Amino acid sequence: MKSLVLAGLIAFSGAALAHGGHGHGHGASSTDWQARAAQAKTSQTVDVSACWIRALPAPAPSAGYFLVKNAGQHDVKLQGAASATYGMVMLHQTTQQDGMSKMSETHDIVIPAGGELEFKPGGYHAMLEKADTPPAVGSQVAMDFLFDSGEKASAQCEVKPANTKAH
Ligand SMILES: [Cu+2]
Protein backbone atom coordinates (compact mmCIF):
# COMPACT_ATOMS: atom_id res chain seq x y z
CA MET A 1 0.00 0.00 0.00
CA LYS A 2 2.69 2.45 1.07
CA SER A 3 4.91 1.72 -1.92
CA LEU A 4 1.95 2.23 -4.24
CA VAL A 5 1.44 5.78 -2.90
CA LEU A 6 5.16 6.43 -3.30
CA ALA A 7 5.14 5.19 -6.88
CA GLY A 8 2.21 7.50 -7.56
CA LEU A 9 4.08 10.44 -6.12
CA ILE A 10 7.15 9.75 -8.25
CA ALA A 11 5.01 9.47 -11.37
CA PHE A 12 3.32 12.74 -10.47
CA SER A 13 6.54 14.66 -9.90
CA GLY A 14 7.92 13.20 -13.11
CA ALA A 15 4.97 14.64 -15.02
CA ALA A 16 5.43 17.99 -13.28
CA LEU A 17 9.09 18.00 -14.25
CA ALA A 18 8.31 17.23 -17.87
CA HIS A 19 5.84 20.07 -17.93
CA GLY A 20 8.36 22.42 -16.36
CA GLY A 21 10.71 21.54 -19.20
CA HIS A 22 8.62 23.53 -21.66
CA GLY A 23 10.82 26.48 -22.50
CA HIS A 24 9.63 29.81 -23.72
CA GLY A 25 10.53 29.97 -27.40
CA HIS A 26 13.41 32.32 -26.83
CA GLY A 27 15.65 33.60 -29.58
CA ALA A 28 14.33 31.77 -32.61
CA SER A 29 17.27 31.66 -34.97
CA SER A 30 17.16 33.49 -38.25
CA THR A 31 17.12 30.17 -40.08
CA ASP A 32 13.71 29.47 -38.58
CA TRP A 33 12.41 32.76 -39.90
CA GLN A 34 13.93 32.05 -43.31
CA ALA A 35 12.15 28.71 -43.41
CA ARG A 36 8.89 30.35 -42.37
CA ALA A 37 9.33 33.12 -44.94
CA ALA A 38 9.81 30.54 -47.68
CA GLN A 39 6.46 28.94 -46.73
CA ALA A 40 4.46 32.07 -45.99
CA LYS A 41 2.04 33.72 -48.39
CA THR A 42 2.51 37.39 -49.12
CA SER A 43 0.01 39.49 -47.21
CA GLN A 44 -2.55 41.43 -49.22
CA THR A 45 -3.07 43.98 -46.46
CA VAL A 46 0.27 44.47 -44.70
CA ASP A 47 3.27 45.91 -46.50
CA VAL A 48 6.75 47.11 -45.71
CA SER A 49 8.27 50.08 -47.53
CA ALA A 50 11.02 52.71 -47.27
CA CYS A 51 13.44 50.08 -46.03
CA TRP A 52 17.08 51.01 -45.58
CA ILE A 53 20.06 49.61 -43.77
CA ARG A 54 22.69 51.59 -41.93
CA ALA A 55 25.79 49.57 -42.77
CA LEU A 56 28.47 49.32 -40.10
CA PRO A 57 31.75 47.50 -40.62
CA ALA A 58 31.63 43.92 -39.24
CA PRO A 59 31.69 42.67 -36.55
CA ALA A 60 29.40 45.54 -35.53
CA PRO A 61 25.79 44.73 -36.40
CA SER A 62 23.99 46.87 -38.97
CA ALA A 63 20.52 48.25 -38.35
CA GLY A 64 17.47 48.09 -40.64
CA TYR A 65 14.72 50.70 -40.67
CA PHE A 66 11.39 50.57 -42.48
CA LEU A 67 7.72 51.47 -42.44
CA VAL A 68 5.05 48.82 -41.81
CA LYS A 69 1.52 49.64 -42.98
CA ASN A 70 -1.51 47.60 -42.05
CA ALA A 71 -4.46 48.29 -44.36
CA GLY A 72 -6.39 45.36 -42.88
CA GLN A 73 -9.26 45.33 -40.41
CA HIS A 74 -7.34 43.45 -37.74
CA ASP A 75 -4.24 44.29 -35.75
CA VAL A 76 -1.23 42.23 -36.74
CA LYS A 77 1.96 41.52 -34.84
CA LEU A 78 5.38 41.55 -36.44
CA GLN A 79 7.06 38.45 -35.07
CA GLY A 80 10.37 38.24 -36.89
CA ALA A 81 12.37 39.04 -40.00
CA ALA A 82 14.79 37.20 -42.26
CA SER A 83 17.31 37.95 -44.96
CA ALA A 84 19.47 35.65 -47.03
CA THR A 85 22.27 38.22 -46.69
CA TYR A 86 22.48 38.03 -42.89
CA GLY A 87 22.87 34.90 -40.78
CA MET A 88 20.95 36.52 -37.95
CA VAL A 89 18.16 39.09 -37.92
CA MET A 90 16.59 40.25 -34.66
CA LEU A 91 13.93 42.79 -33.82
CA HIS A 92 15.16 45.36 -31.34
CA GLN A 93 13.78 48.32 -29.48
CA THR A 94 15.88 51.22 -28.26
CA THR A 95 14.58 52.81 -25.09
CA GLN A 96 15.79 55.60 -22.85
CA GLN A 97 16.30 54.81 -19.21
CA ASP A 98 17.75 57.33 -16.76
CA GLY A 99 19.25 59.26 -19.65
CA MET A 100 20.89 56.12 -21.04
CA SER A 101 20.03 54.52 -24.35
CA LYS A 102 19.65 50.75 -24.32
CA MET A 103 18.55 48.09 -26.79
CA SER A 104 16.62 44.93 -26.14
CA GLU A 105 15.25 42.14 -28.31
CA THR A 106 11.52 42.26 -28.86
CA HIS A 107 8.79 40.22 -30.56
CA ASP A 108 5.11 40.60 -31.35
CA ILE A 109 5.20 44.28 -32.24
CA VAL A 110 1.62 45.40 -32.89
CA ILE A 111 0.73 47.21 -36.11
CA PRO A 112 -2.80 48.48 -35.50
CA ALA A 113 -5.60 47.85 -38.00
CA GLY A 114 -5.65 50.69 -40.51
CA GLY A 115 -2.42 52.06 -39.03
CA GLU A 116 1.32 52.03 -39.47
CA LEU A 117 4.50 51.81 -37.46
CA GLU A 118 7.82 53.30 -38.39
CA PHE A 119 11.00 51.52 -37.44
CA LYS A 120 13.50 54.33 -37.08
CA PRO A 121 16.72 55.31 -35.33
CA GLY A 122 16.10 55.61 -31.59
CA GLY A 123 13.10 53.27 -31.67
CA TYR A 124 12.26 49.91 -33.18
CA HIS A 125 14.78 48.49 -35.65
CA ALA A 126 16.01 45.25 -37.11
CA MET A 127 19.47 44.20 -35.98
CA LEU A 128 21.37 42.51 -38.79
CA GLU A 129 24.34 40.31 -38.03
CA LYS A 130 26.57 37.61 -39.47
CA ALA A 131 26.68 38.66 -43.11
CA ASP A 132 28.72 36.18 -45.16
CA THR A 133 29.68 39.07 -47.41
CA PRO A 134 28.83 42.53 -46.09
CA PRO A 135 26.64 44.22 -48.72
CA ALA A 136 28.14 47.27 -50.46
CA VAL A 137 26.79 50.73 -49.82
CA GLY A 138 24.26 51.49 -52.56
CA SER A 139 23.24 47.86 -53.05
CA GLN A 140 19.82 46.38 -52.26
CA VAL A 141 19.18 43.68 -49.67
CA ALA A 142 15.98 41.63 -49.76
CA MET A 143 14.21 41.14 -46.44
CA ASP A 144 11.09 39.25 -45.40
CA PHE A 145 8.92 40.21 -42.44
CA LEU A 146 6.77 37.59 -40.70
CA PHE A 147 3.45 38.34 -39.02
CA ASP A 148 1.27 36.43 -36.56
CA SER A 149 -1.30 36.03 -39.32
CA GLY A 150 1.16 33.52 -40.84
CA GLU A 151 1.71 35.86 -43.77
CA LYS A 152 4.75 37.84 -44.81
CA ALA A 153 5.71 41.13 -46.42
CA SER A 154 8.87 41.50 -48.48
CA ALA A 155 10.98 44.58 -49.10
CA GLN A 156 14.16 45.68 -50.81
CA CYS A 157 16.36 47.63 -48.44
CA GLU A 158 18.92 50.13 -49.67
CA VAL A 159 22.29 49.92 -47.97
CA LYS A 160 23.40 53.36 -46.80
CA PRO A 161 26.64 54.55 -45.21
CA ALA A 162 27.16 54.53 -41.43
CA ASN A 163 26.90 58.31 -41.15
CA THR A 164 23.43 58.50 -42.76
CA LYS A 165 21.21 60.88 -40.81
CA ALA A 166 17.75 59.80 -39.80
CA HIS A 167 15.22 61.44 -42.05
CU1 LIG B 1 19.66 46.83 -31.94
Side-chain angles (χ1 to χ4, degrees):
M1 183 66 181
K2 200 174 179 187
S3 67
L4 235 172
V5 172
L6 195 61
L9 270 173
I10 289 166
F12 176 79
S13 63
L17 262 175
H19 189 250
H22 271 285
H24 172 67
H26 181 72
S29 76
S30 186
T31 315
D32 297 336
W33 295 117
Q34 279 183 26
R36 271 187 60 176
Q39 306 267 324
K41 277 198 319 180
T42 298
S43 172
Q44 299 299 308
T45 50
V46 184
D47 75 84
V48 174
S49 59
C51 186
W52 64 283
I53 290 168
R54 188 200 301 278
L56 294 183
S62 294
Y65 305 107
F66 46 89
L67 179 65
V68 190
K69 286 186 186 170
N70 177 10
Q73 298 187 338
H74 303 283
D75 293 358
V76 294
K77 290 176 184 165
L78 177 60
Q79 295 191 308
S83 169
T85 302
Y86 294 93
M88 181 144 79
V89 179
M90 287 183 290
L91 300 177
H92 273 187
Q93 184 177 23
T94 302
T95 51
Q96 301 295 324
Q97 214 169 49
D98 302 325
M100 301 269 289
S101 174
K102 68 164 199 155
M103 286 197 310
S104 48
E105 190 175 6
T106 180
H107 297 284
D108 296 329
I109 303 162
V110 174
I111 323 295
E116 61 183 39
L117 183 66
E118 187 179 11
F119 284 62
K120 59 187 177 191
Y124 289 113
H125 56 277
M127 207 86 255
L128 311 165
E129 296 183 49
K130 298 183 182 167
D132 286 338
T133 309
V137 167
S139 66
Q140 301 275 334
V141 168
M143 281 187 67
D144 290 319
F145 301 86
L146 279 302
F147 299 93
D148 65 331
S149 59
E151 296 179 323
K152 68 177 172 186
S154 303
Q156 292 290 331
C157 309
E158 185 179 346
V159 180
K160 296 188 178 184
N163 63 0
T164 304
K165 292 269 195 301
H167 46 180

